[in-house]
Amino acid sequence: MATSELARPDVPTFADLLRSFPGQARLALGTRGVLWASFAGIVGVVCCVVAFAAIGLSLHRSDVDPERRKAREVLMLDNASRLMMRGILASSSAGPAVPTAAIADAPWRHFIESLATLCRDFELAPQTTLAETCAAQPAFIDRLGREIRALDIDRKPIDAAVLRQLLQLRDEITELSLSTTRAADDLIGHLIDDYTVALLILTLSTTGFVCAGLVLILLVGRTSMDYHAQWRLAAEAAQQAGASRDMLTEVVEALPAGVVVYDATEHLLLCNSVARTLTPALRRPDAIGRTYSALAHDSARGLEAAGMGPQPVQEWIERFRTKTTERTRQADDGRWFDWSEKGTPSGLTVGLRVDVTDIKQHEFALEKARAEQANARARYQSLVDSMVDVAYTLDVETGQFTFANAAVADMFGLPPEKFVGTHFLQLIAPDSMDRVRRQTTREYDPSDPGTFARFSMITAGGAVRHVEVRAKRWRDEHGRVVSTGEIRDVEERVQLEQRLDSEMTRLRSIVESGGALIVLVDRALNVAMVNSGFTALTGIPAADAVGRPLQEILPCPLNPERTKRSRFAIRRRDPSGRERLIAITATPATDADGAVSNIMLLGVDDTERREAEQALYNAERFATVGEMAGTMAHELSQPLQVINIACASALDEFALALERGGQPDHAFVQGKLDRIAQQVDQASRIIGDLRAFVRGTSSDTPERFDPNEAIRRAIDLTGHGVREAGMTLQEELAARLPAVLGDAGHLAQVLVNLINNARDAGGGAISIVTDTTQENGRTFVRIAVEDSGPGIASDVLPRLFTSFVTTKPSGKGTGLGLRICRRILEEMGGRISAANRVEGGARFEIILPSQ
């Protein structure tokens, strides 16, 4: 960092010293010290003035020269008058031979001189002989002289009048001498008193002056000690200042901003390396000491030479002198800088050159964001104005609306600018006034979740309509409680709800009077609603059923993930203890996303109908058994023939052994016996399957079984009939099928029915195919029964599984077989479907869940 030498100050004048003395005194002594010094100085000055005044007054009062001169002249006149009177007396009593001139002339002359001096120098009291004598001095002297000369020469006695006047004058001179003596005594007494007072005043003034001097000496001493301490501290501070200056130099050099310092005359004092980097003119060796104006012109010339065009030099200088901030862009590298100057109390100007490129970029981004925000606000306003509902803001304290969107014109018949300021209670219908007042006068609570209320308001044209209000309270930046919300016209909805309530009441009466079991469950299979039919069939009151899991009170194979309608049947004992068969139809209700939200279970007591249907099915089954009698005879004849042959072979072996006299071939005999046992088992199985089919009975408890076993059993029961019809029965069974839950005999009955139907339909071949499929992440067993017959008529296909629908000739079928097949599969949690094949014939597909 470069610096310039400080200018040496000029020698101060006496006036400058006087002007700076108060400040220097305050700096040296402090405010209290200055007060003490001022007080001591004032006391000293007052003491000196009082002493000098007392001395002057005492000198004025002690002016004794006139009195002394007067006393001396009075005494001289008194002596002269005495001598003169003696001379007169001596002249009067002396003989002729005595020369009188030596006796009276000298005293007379001395008396005349003393009298003249006294009359000239003193102002005598009027109407006295002495004053009259002085007034008529020439005449008196002349007359008295004549008398004295006559006395001296002629020995003539002095005139009695003159002598009397001389005696009176002599008495007054004596009295004057006495009064003068007394005045001198009084003057001496006054002088003594005045000197005593003056001495006392002088003593007190001297004491005050000495005390003031001591105070000043103490202050000067204290100031000297303080100065010495300050000098020592100043030395330490100078040391620290040097270190601070060095540290400041390092700090200024380390600053990422350019720093320049100018003195009061705008000459450059210092600058750091960053400032020199930003301003090429500062890189010159003679930059320190140059004025800002000169440096600015140099910078402008450099920029203009670089091809940047004319530079606003005067604007730079004006900005520098007005100490403002300017944000400018450097064209060479695209960076932005803040050029600012700030004045200091000492007259310096400190300039900063800060790189604000990031801030400027943020400002650009902020301006862009503000523009986008303005656009968003405009879009938001248009969006708010496009709302059908009334959006509003309400001042809770005043109860007046402060904002409303354009929808207020449609609902209340007022434009938003006129609606603002309206009191909300003016719009409340009388029947809702009390309820609205209670809700709006409650205390503000920050945790209040808000208001959702429905009441009546007076809308456009004075019409009273039902509205829904959703509002939330909060405090604005001024601390006022504000309510923001929306008003929705629900008049049509209220009317619809009222009609819906009426319809729901009617529907409820219908649901309750229907006698069917109705249960509504949610997605978690918890009971949400039941009817009286449920209570009649289960004996569980509605209050005990709602909220409980469905599987606790009505176990059933219900899948909450399935979105299609399903049917199944369950067995449950009624309150009287009788086992009832309930056929249930599960109808799922889905939400907007297609997920199941609720499931409606409609159950019908199917016991009597099922028993009647079972009777018809048994009759049909017995007819089927009659048709199968020949098949069974053929099926049994084959194992009997094998048994007969095996027995004959064994007997022949024993006969040969007896003839040979040896032992029969035990291995041969054992093989024939095993063959006989196998055929017996096969015959027993055939008879058992037939018996089960005829009886139609099975275990009441569902069990896991292999579906291939039921398929093979159905093939065994129907194979001979298919062959007799001249058809082939093909099977493509998967090697390993997962087990299913249910009754194998029931599944065999379904397959027997399907195979016989395919046989009756005609065609050349029947095939049974098994495999697995995946649905909703679950494994299902699929069994397909296909034939090559004419297929199913299009008008019959949609209602094929309805009761008493059949394609067989009259008297040959009851139309219950497929209906019963569907019921059996639904009880196992499965389903059955039918379709026509593209290549001809029908296809029946059975889907069963794996276990």
Side-chain angles (χ1 to χ4, degrees):
M1 180 181 297
T3 58
S4 65
E5 295 185 358
L6 297 177
R8 186 180 301 277
D10 297 333
V11 177
T13 62
F14 182 72
D16 294 335
L17 292 177
L18 289 179
R19 281 195 298 269
S20 63
F21 179 76
Q24 295 295 331
R26 189 187 306 102
L27 180 64
L29 301 177
T31 302
R32 297 179 64 182
V34 169
L35 293 176
W36 276 104
S38 300
F39 176 74
I42 292 171
V43 169
V45 171
V46 169
C47 290
C48 290
V49 170
V50 170
F52 288 137
I55 292 172
L57 292 174
S58 65
L59 291 176
H60 176 73
R61 290 192 297 268
S62 62
D63 190 8
V64 296
D65 289 340
E67 297 295 332
R68 291 174 60 188
R69 187 173 63 253
K70 179 180 178 180
R72 185 171 57 251
E73 292 177 355
V74 169
L75 290 176
M76 290 175 64
L77 180 60
D78 185 36
N79 290 330
S81 66
R82 288 177 182 275
L83 293 175
M84 184 186 69
M85 293 303 295
R86 287 178 183 173
I88 293 173
L89 292 177
S91 296
S92 299
S93 59
V98 179
T100 56
I103 298 173
D105 184 59
W108 158 248
R109 294 183 181 277
H110 182 62
F111 174 76
I112 292 303
E113 293 176 358
S114 298
L115 179 62
T117 300
L118 181 66
C119 291
R120 184 182 67 248
D121 295 336
F122 294 97
E123 183 178 356
L124 301 176
Q127 298 180 358
T128 58
T129 302
L130 184 59
E132 293 176 356
T133 301
C134 288
Q137 181 180 358
F140 174 73
I141 293 172
D142 182 61
R143 189 176 55 178
L144 183 59
R146 287 193 305 269
E147 293 293 329
I148 293 298
R149 284 190 298 270
L151 176 61
D152 286 337
I153 298 172
D154 298 332
R155 309 293 294 175
K156 185 180 179 180
I158 297 175
D159 185 43
V162 173
L163 184 61
R164 190 167 43 251
Q165 186 177 4
L166 283 175
L167 291 176
Q168 290 178 352
L169 181 62
R170 168 72 185 136
D171 292 337
E172 289 185 4
I173 289 174
T174 301
E175 183 66 28
L176 180 61
S177 177
L178 292 177
S179 64
T180 301
T181 302
R182 286 195 300 271
D185 292 339
D186 292 338
L187 178 61
I188 291 173
H190 288 307
L191 286 175
I192 293 173
D193 294 338
D194 290 341
Y195 285 148
T196 301
V197 173
L199 182 61
L200 179 61
I201 293 174
L202 184 60
T203 302
L204 294 177
S205 299
T206 304
T207 303
F209 185 79
V210 169
C211 292
L214 289 176
V215 171
L216 291 175
I217 291 172
L218 290 176
L219 289 175
V220 171
R222 179 177 175 274
T223 303
S224 299
M225 290 186 292
D226 289 345
Y227 174 78
H228 179 71
Q230 292 295 332
W231 176 83
R232 190 177 58 217
L233 293 176
E236 296 176 356
Q239 239 175 355
Q240 294 178 357
S244 299
R245 183 177 60 252
D246 296 338
M247 182 177 66
L248 179 61
T249 303
E250 295 178 2
V251 171
V252 171
E253 281 295 331
L255 287 175
V259 179
V260 293
V261 179
Y262 294 86
D263 60 13
T265 60
E266 299 184 0
H267 288 79
L268 181 64
L269 295 179
L270 61 88
C271 62
N272 64 352
S273 57
V274 177
R276 288 192 291 272
T277 302
L278 298 178
T279 306
L282 298 179
R283 303 172 195 167
R284 297 178 53 174
D286 60 344
I288 300 298
R290 301 189 67 190
T291 64
Y292 178 83
S293 177
L295 293 173
H297 283 88
D298 289 347
S299 297
R301 285 191 292 269
L303 293 175
E304 290 173 357
M308 297 183 183
Q311 300 297 315
V313 180
Q314 294 302 323
E315 293 182 7
W316 295 350
I317 298 174
E318 182 66 21
R319 175 192 53 77
F320 175 83
R321 292 173 178 171
T322 55
K323 307 298 185 291
T324 58
T325 300
E326 179 184 0
R327 183 159 295 176
T328 182
R329 183 176 186 271
Q330 297 294 324
D332 53 354
D333 57 1
R335 291 186 298 165
W336 290 83
F337 295 90
D338 273 352
W339 297 69
S340 61
E341 280 76 27
K342 184 174 181 62
T344 66
S346 61
L348 299 178
T349 300
V350 179
L352 287 180
R353 313 295 184 252
V354 182
D355 188 346
V356 293
T357 304
D358 294 339
I359 298 176
K360 193 64 178 179
Q361 291 175 352
H362 289 163
E363 288 179 356
F364 288 150
L366 182 59
E367 291 177 359
K368 183 178 179 181
R370 286 175 178 171
E372 293 177 353
Q373 185 179 9
N375 294 333
R377 186 179 296 109
R379 292 195 300 270
Y380 173 76
Q381 184 65 38
S382 63
L383 177 62
V384 171
D385 288 338
S386 65
M387 292 175 58
V388 178
D389 299 335
V390 174
Y392 71 90
T393 301
L394 177 72
D395 189 334
V396 176
E397 295 181 5
T398 62
Q400 294 179 340
F401 291 98
T402 58
F403 170 80
N405 64 344
V408 73
D410 297 332
M411 180 174 290
F412 296 101
L414 292 174
E417 58 273 12
K418 292 185 178 180
F419 184 79
V420 171
T422 303
H423 199 284
F424 77 99
L425 289 179
Q426 297 177 2
L427 306 174
I428 305 301
D431 59 343
S432 302
M433 185 67 70
D434 293 339
R435 182 159 56 93
V436 173
R437 283 183 185 275
R438 288 195 301 271
Q439 291 182 348
T440 56
T441 55
R442 67 184 187 278
E443 293 293 332
Y444 170 72
D445 185 2
S447 61
D448 190 350
T451 300
F452 177 74
R454 178 180 292 181
F455 48 85
S456 300
M457 296 187 73
I458 303 173
T459 59
V464 177
R465 300 179 67 87
H466 288 87
V467 297
E468 275 185 359
V469 175
R470 290 178 173 85
K472 177 70 176 179
R473 289 185 174 189
W474 51 281
R475 287 191 183 274
D476 61 8
E477 63 275 8
H478 304 294
R480 300 178 66 87
V481 180
V482 178
S483 176
T484 302
E486 62 177 9
I487 304 173
R488 176 173 297 178
D489 187 349
V490 293
E491 180 66 27
E492 296 180 358
R493 189 200 305 174
V494 170
Q495 295 179 1
L496 288 175
E497 288 177 355
Q498 291 174 353
R499 290 206 304 265
L500 180 61
D501 291 340
S502 176
E503 294 296 331
M504 286 296 295
T505 303
R506 291 168 54 191
L507 179 60
R508 185 73 185 181
S509 63
I510 294 173
V511 169
E512 292 294 341
S513 63
L517 175 147
I518 297 178
V519 180
L520 180 66
V521 297
D522 58 18
R523 180 178 175 82
L525 299 185
N526 293 322
V527 177
M529 184 197 74
V530 297
N531 69 338
S532 57
F534 171 85
T535 303
L537 287 176
T538 62
I540 301 176
D544 295 339
V546 174
R548 294 175 59 185
L550 177 66
Q551 299 298 335
E552 290 184 3
I553 58 177
L554 199 67
C556 57
L558 193 62
N559 182 12
E561 302 295 333
R562 184 174 181 181
T563 60
K564 294 183 180 181
R565 179 181 298 176
S566 61
R567 293 182 178 87
F568 53 87
I570 61 173
R571 295 183 182 272
R572 185 178 178 86
R573 296 187 180 275
D574 60 13
S576 65
R578 181 184 176 187
E579 187 178 68
R580 314 290 297 187
L581 181 64
I582 305 174
I584 297 178
T585 301
T587 304
T590 57
D591 55 17
D593 297 328
V596 176
S597 58
N598 296 94
I599 301 176
M600 176 65 74
L601 303 179
L602 178 62
V604 179
D605 187 357
D606 206 24
T607 305
E608 285 77 8
R609 188 189 63 80
R610 183 64 63 86
E611 290 176 352
E613 186 181 80
Q614 187 65 36
L616 291 174
Y617 177 69
N618 289 337
E620 184 175 359
R621 188 173 65 252
F622 288 139
T624 302
V625 170
E627 295 178 0
M628 296 171 58
T631 300
M632 292 300 102
H634 176 74
E635 293 294 331
L636 290 176
S637 65
Q638 287 183 352
L640 290 176
Q641 288 178 3
V642 174
I643 291 171
N644 187 25
I645 295 171
C647 287
S649 298
L651 291 175
D652 290 342
E653 179 62 26
F654 280 111
L656 290 175
L658 288 176
E659 291 178 0
R660 291 193 302 266
Q663 294 294 328
D665 188 351
H666 292 287
F668 177 78
V669 174
Q670 184 64 42
K672 297 301 179 182
L673 293 176
D674 291 341
R675 183 69 180 277
I676 293 170
Q678 291 176 0
Q679 295 302 316
V680 170
D681 289 340
Q682 182 178 355
S684 299
R685 181 174 55 80
I686 292 172
I687 294 172
D689 290 344
L690 181 61
R691 182 184 298 112
F693 185 78
V694 171
R695 291 179 179 176
T697 59
S698 63
S699 173
D700 293 335
T701 303
E703 297 178 352
R704 298 175 74 255
F705 67 92
D706 185 359
N708 283 335
E709 293 181 3
I711 295 171
R712 292 189 182 94
R713 184 183 301 178
I715 292 174
D716 289 342
L717 292 174
T718 58
H720 180 72
V722 171
R723 290 191 296 273
E724 286 292 329
M727 303 173 66
T728 60
L729 181 58
Q730 301 174 355
E731 59 179 80
E732 296 179 12
L733 306 183
R736 293 183 179 179
L737 286 179
V740 297
L741 185 64
D743 188 277
H746 284 178
L747 181 57
Q749 292 178 19
V750 172
L751 293 172
V752 166
N753 192 294
L754 295 178
I755 294 171
N756 287 337
N757 287 343
R759 181 199 64 191
D760 294 340
I766 301 173
S767 64
I768 301 178
V769 181
T770 63
D771 59 5
T772 58
T773 184
Q774 298 290 326
E775 293 183 8
N776 298 324
R778 230 181 131 183
T779 302
F780 289 82
V781 174
R782 180 168 56 190
I783 305 171
V785 179
E786 301 176 347
D787 64 64
S788 58
I792 305 170
S794 58
D795 59 334
V796 177
L797 187 61
R799 51 192 181 89
L800 187 61
F801 295 97
T802 306
S803 299
F804 308 111
V805 175
T806 180
T807 59
K808 295 181 180 180
S810 179
K812 191 171 180 63
T814 62
L816 294 174
L818 293 179
R819 172 71 179 83
I820 293 173
C821 290
R822 187 179 72 174
R823 186 203 66 195
I824 291 173
L825 295 174
E826 288 176 350
E827 289 177 356
M828 296 176 64
R831 64 182 186 272
I832 184 172
S833 61
N836 287 319
R837 299 170 62 199
V838 177
E839 59 271 22
R843 173 187 174 89
F844 287 85
E845 185 176 81
I846 298 172
I847 301 296
L848 292 174
S850 63
Q851 298 295 324

